[in-house]
Amino acid sequence: MAEHHFLLKADWQGGRNSTGFIDAGGLKAEISIPKEMDGPGVGTNPDEMLLGAAATCYLITLAAMLERAKIPVSQLKLESEGIVEVEQGVFTYKKIIHRPKVTLAAEADGKDVEKVGLLSEKAEKSCMISRAVQGNVEIQVEAEIGVEEG
């Protein structure tokens, strides 16, 4: 069994409404509590980073599945939304909605469109980040699939 280790270093000065900095190799960013949660809103925050991790994992997984299935993809875009609920001062990450927009090349047929729909759902269940938050954060997929005019 192979293991992969990822390292993040963080520096934080002060209390709740301060700012910090993280360095995780390819990810270097200022961090703070978002304005929506009465923070300074400087740089990124845990809510955006969880959404970013889930979205990039889903997108890469879907792209790999489409490639393996030899689906003629012309364009693949993704919009993802994170929903955080606040109840009695307690913040809970409730849901992530992935909205992939897959445009197939003109030579695609109805079977390709159907397969993209199935793979859009399967990618969410196969993604490492989705599996990591399973049971804690609901993840939903709302795929839009089209075919180029040809």
Side-chain angles (χ1 to χ4, degrees):
M1 176 191 321
E3 285 187 344
H4 302 279
H5 296 252
F6 299 92
L7 178 65
L8 181 141
K9 294 180 182 179
D11 182 34
W12 186 267
Q13 300 296 321
R16 180 191 186 280
N17 286 324
S18 295
T19 61
F21 187 81
I22 59 169
D23 181 343
L27 173 63
K28 296 173 186 356
E30 281 190 287
I31 57 170
S32 73
I33 294 173
K35 284 186 188 253
E36 298 85 351
M37 297 176 181
D38 298 321
V42 174
T44 191
N45 56 69
D47 309 282
E48 289 175 346
M49 288 191 293
L50 179 59
L51 181 60
T56 55
C57 184
Y58 173 77
L59 185 62
I60 292 167
T61 302
L62 178 57
M65 289 180 163
L66 294 170
E67 180 181 66
R68 278 195 301 274
K70 296 182 177 21
I71 304 288
V73 176
S74 157
Q75 189 174 66
L76 175 58
K77 293 186 174 198
L78 178 65
E79 181 178 290
S80 293
E81 178 180 4
I83 300 168
V84 175
E85 181 180 274
V86 184
E87 189 173 320
Q88 297 179 359
V90 177
F91 294 87
T92 304
Y93 217 114
K94 295 302 282 186
K95 183 192 278 190
I96 293 173
I97 305 167
H98 294 306
R99 296 183 182 100
K101 184 174 182 179
V102 184
T103 305
L104 302 180
E107 69 266 17
D109 60 25
K111 285 185 179 182
D112 290 327
V113 172
E114 185 179 330
K115 193 157 199 173
V116 170
L118 294 172
L119 291 175
S120 294
E121 293 293 331
K122 186 177 181 182
E124 184 274 314
K125 292 169 182 56
S126 301
C127 164
M128 176 179 66
I129 301 299
S130 295
R131 291 192 325 265
V133 300
Q134 188 177 22
N136 292 308
V137 179
E138 177 188 349
I139 301 185
Q140 185 178 326
V141 176
E142 299 173 357
E144 181 183 326
I145 306 159
V147 180
E148 281 184 329
E149 298 287 324

